[in-house]
Amino acid sequence: MGKKQNTQEKILDSATELFLEKGYDRTSVREIASKAKINISLMNYYFRSKEMLFETIINLLIGKTSVSLKEILDSDLELNKKIELYISEYINMLISNPLLIAFVIAVLNRNPEKLLSLKVTDNLYNTDVFTKQLEEEYNHGKIRKINPEQFYLNMLSLITFPFAIKHIINDKNKFSNKDFKAFIIDRKEIIYNMLMCYLKP
Amino acid sequence: MGKKQNTQEKILDSATELFLEKGYDRTSVREIASKAKINISLMNYYFRSKEMLFETIINLLIGKTSVSLKEILDSDLELNKKIELYISEYINMLISNPLLIAFVIAVLNRNPEKLLSLKVTDNLYNTDVFTKQLEEEYNHGKIRKINPEQFYLNMLSLITFPFAIKHIINDKNKFSNKDFKAFIIDRKEIIYNMLMCYLKP
DNA sequence: ATTCGTTTTAAACAAGTGTTTAAAACATTT
DNA sequence: AAATGTTTTAAACACTTGTTTAAAACGAAT
């Protein structure tokens, strides 16, 4: 039992790293086995197929990183504070997982039905709570009339897109990884100000 | 000569469609040949290798769609008008090529050096002309102090990112393709207002 | 009609893919 | 110590991949 979890985890860790770096198609089962230092057939023994291993990893990956973000959206924080916290935590998470966005976009466009059929996908987008909060704020005259769906999408775009084109940004600006991180952290305030400015009645 | 260009174009057209839809790795040479209704070896005869065919297609694809956008950025239009036109033309182009963004992101993250080594990549990002225009507007007190690089990235994110996650947006909102298009067209004004609001001194 | 260069074809190649098999090694329980 | 169930191993399987080969078909010029 102890050893069982051990090799299973070794497979998971190695495969996760490879899938994130090179994508599903460019990662061979033999490479996973080699990196995990296990026999090739153990992958099938523990996960039945490469495809099922991949699904497991998607769920773990998105689950671990996105649940806390959804909780923020669904909390009862004041709108300003909620947006500020959401931006900050989302960016912190992506700094720790800089390959996640490109990975999700790749999976989404390669096999939309599969990704969208997973429960974890709910954590990736807007929630009813947040939409209703925006509507209520407008009804109380606190913010100007907006489309909540569009507003959330704007926020999400500003937060996540830079990570999808990190290589271009670094190349065009001659950024090191450190420079990129600083550039991204600067965005916390910029994005917040931009959204707040737009919400003003 | 006539027939030569004919089969070459048949290969290009079929391969472009398949690469956009399924990506490089999930598209086999046999599938391209089958779609183009040609013999398999003609692909190597005209393009030497699958890889070189792919490079050719990347250049054609990005070249055709991005050159006019760069021209807008480098034009001598007034800032407001330039931003308005850039947003509108970029969105129009992506409505005609909805798979382009996911495609570029995939290539960029799979093989950064290769994409960035191509000349067409210059058309994909900010330009010196636009950066200087933003700086001058600030020096004349027309806009508030901003980081031009961040500002351009904000604009690009708001314009392009929704196309990268089109499937999620359609799924969560129960959008048809027609709904999505209307939703996107609405964004022209939203994005413009947001950026202008943020630029006000 | 014959020659020449270009284009197209069918067949095969070598290499890599994910997966399965059946036996061995191991750990645990009786 | 023997039996049982779990885990690991090496080898092979069936299949697909991109590419090459050598001959055939074609078109144009002599």
Side-chain angles (χ1 to χ4, degrees):
Chain A
M1 200 76 167
K3 228 179 186 180
K4 173 184 180 179
Q5 287 190 348
N6 235 327
T7 71
Q8 196 165 337
E9 279 172 11
K10 277 200 285 183
I11 297 175
L12 278 177
D13 289 350
S14 300
T16 301
E17 210 173 307
L18 289 168
F19 284 151
L20 276 171
E21 270 177 19
K22 322 181 31 173
Y24 179 83
D25 294 307
R26 280 179 131 78
T27 302
S28 74
V29 171
R30 282 168 178 80
E31 203 177 355
I32 297 173
S34 161
K35 179 157 197 158
K37 288 168 185 165
I38 53 132
N39 189 287
I40 324 171
S41 29
L42 287 180
M43 189 245 100
N44 292 84
Y45 179 73
Y46 284 102
F47 298 95
R48 306 194 67 87
S49 71
K50 185 190 179 188
E51 194 76 14
M52 291 183 71
L53 167 62
F54 190 55
E55 270 190 37
T56 306
I57 285 176
I58 291 178
N59 275 302
L60 286 173
L61 216 50
I62 300 183
K64 264 192 282 193
T65 53
S66 66
V67 173
S68 62
L69 295 174
K70 190 192 174 74
E71 282 171 5
I72 295 175
L73 274 194
D74 284 354
S75 72
D76 53 0
L77 281 170
E78 193 197 343
L79 185 62
N80 292 9
K81 286 289 166 194
K82 181 182 283 193
I83 291 176
E84 189 186 5
L85 185 64
Y86 190 73
I87 297 169
S88 179
E89 288 300 299
Y90 212 136
I91 286 183
N92 286 344
M93 185 275 278
L94 290 179
I95 287 175
S96 302
N97 304 277
L99 300 173
L100 191 69
I101 292 295
F103 177 81
V104 170
I105 292 176
V107 178
L108 180 64
N109 287 281
R110 169 150 319 173
N111 208 336
E113 319 81 40
K114 166 184 285 184
L115 183 62
L116 293 171
S117 73
L118 304 178
K119 300 155 207 159
V120 279
T121 318
D122 293 338
N123 301 329
L124 288 177
Y125 205 64
N126 198 5
T127 69
D128 289 345
V129 173
F130 188 63
T131 295
K132 272 170 192 152
Q133 185 174 13
L134 285 169
E135 282 163 355
E136 286 225 354
E137 292 276 316
Y138 168 69
N139 291 336
H140 289 62
K142 305 274 194 177
I143 62 172
R144 77 139 122 169
K145 177 91 180 151
I146 53 143
N147 178 333
E149 204 56 34
Q150 296 273 17
F151 181 79
Y152 177 80
L153 180 56
N154 291 341
M155 182 164 66
L156 190 68
S157 304
L158 292 167
I159 294 171
T160 63
F161 185 70
F163 288 90
I165 61 162
K166 180 183 176 184
H167 288 111
I168 293 187
I169 295 175
N170 281 354
D171 183 74
K172 298 291 177 188
N173 293 291
K174 288 161 189 162
F175 279 174
S176 67
N177 278 339
K178 214 167 194 172
D179 296 330
F180 180 77
K181 184 177 174 181
F183 183 75
I184 288 292
I185 289 178
D186 282 347
R187 293 182 60 75
K188 289 186 180 181
E189 196 181 342
I190 293 173
I191 296 173
Y192 177 76
N193 287 339
M194 212 168 160
L195 294 174
M196 283 307 146
C197 166
Y198 184 66
L199 282 181
K200 276 210 192 83
Chain B
M1 201 75 166
K3 226 179 188 181
K4 173 183 179 178
Q5 286 191 348
N6 236 327
T7 70
Q8 195 164 339
E9 278 171 12
K10 278 200 284 181
I11 297 174
L12 277 177
D13 290 349
S14 301
T16 301
E17 212 172 306
L18 289 169
F19 284 151
L20 275 172
E21 271 176 19
K22 323 181 29 172
Y24 179 83
D25 294 308
R26 280 179 130 78
T27 303
S28 73
V29 171
R30 282 168 179 79
E31 201 178 357
I32 296 172
S34 161
K35 179 157 197 159
K37 287 168 185 166
I38 54 133
N39 188 287
I40 325 171
S41 28
L42 288 180
M43 188 247 104
N44 293 84
Y45 179 74
Y46 283 101
F47 298 96
R48 305 194 67 85
S49 71
K50 185 189 178 189
E51 194 74 15
M52 290 184 71
L53 169 61
F54 190 56
E55 270 189 38
T56 306
I57 286 176
I58 291 178
N59 275 303
L60 286 173
L61 216 51
I62 300 182
K64 265 192 283 195
T65 53
S66 66
V67 173
S68 61
L69 295 173
K70 190 190 173 74
E71 282 172 4
I72 295 175
L73 274 194
D74 284 353
S75 72
D76 53 359
L77 282 169
E78 193 196 345
L79 185 63
N80 293 7
K81 287 288 165 196
K82 181 181 286 194
I83 291 175
E84 188 186 7
L85 184 64
Y86 190 73
I87 296 169
S88 179
E89 288 300 300
Y90 212 136
I91 286 183
N92 286 345
M93 183 274 277
L94 291 180
I95 286 175
S96 303
N97 305 276
L99 300 174
L100 190 70
I101 292 294
F103 176 80
V104 170
I105 292 175
V107 178
L108 180 63
N109 286 281
R110 169 148 322 171
N111 210 334
E113 318 80 43
K114 167 185 283 183
L115 182 63
L116 293 171
S117 74
L118 303 177
K119 300 156 206 158
V120 277
T121 318
D122 292 339
N123 300 329
L124 289 177
Y125 205 66
N126 199 6
T127 70
D128 289 345
V129 173
F130 188 63
T131 295
K132 273 172 189 149
Q133 185 172 14
L134 286 169
E135 282 164 354
E136 287 226 350
E137 293 277 315
Y138 167 71
N139 290 336
H140 290 62
K142 305 273 194 178
I143 61 172
R144 75 139 123 168
K145 176 91 180 152
I146 52 146
N147 179 333
E149 205 55 37
Q150 296 273 18
F151 181 80
Y152 176 80
L153 180 57
N154 291 340
M155 182 164 67
L156 189 68
S157 304
L158 291 167
I159 293 171
T160 62
F161 184 71
F163 290 90
I165 60 162
K166 181 183 176 186
H167 289 110
I168 293 187
I169 295 175
N170 281 354
D171 183 74
K172 298 290 177 187
N173 293 292
K174 287 160 190 165
F175 278 173
S176 68
N177 278 338
K178 214 168 195 171
D179 297 330
F180 180 78
K181 183 176 173 180
F183 183 76
I184 287 291
I185 288 178
D186 282 347
R187 293 181 61 75
K188 288 186 181 182
E189 197 181 340
I190 293 172
I191 296 172
Y192 177 76
N193 287 339
M194 213 168 156
L195 294 175
M196 283 308 146
C197 166
Y198 184 68
L199 281 181
K200 275 209 193 84

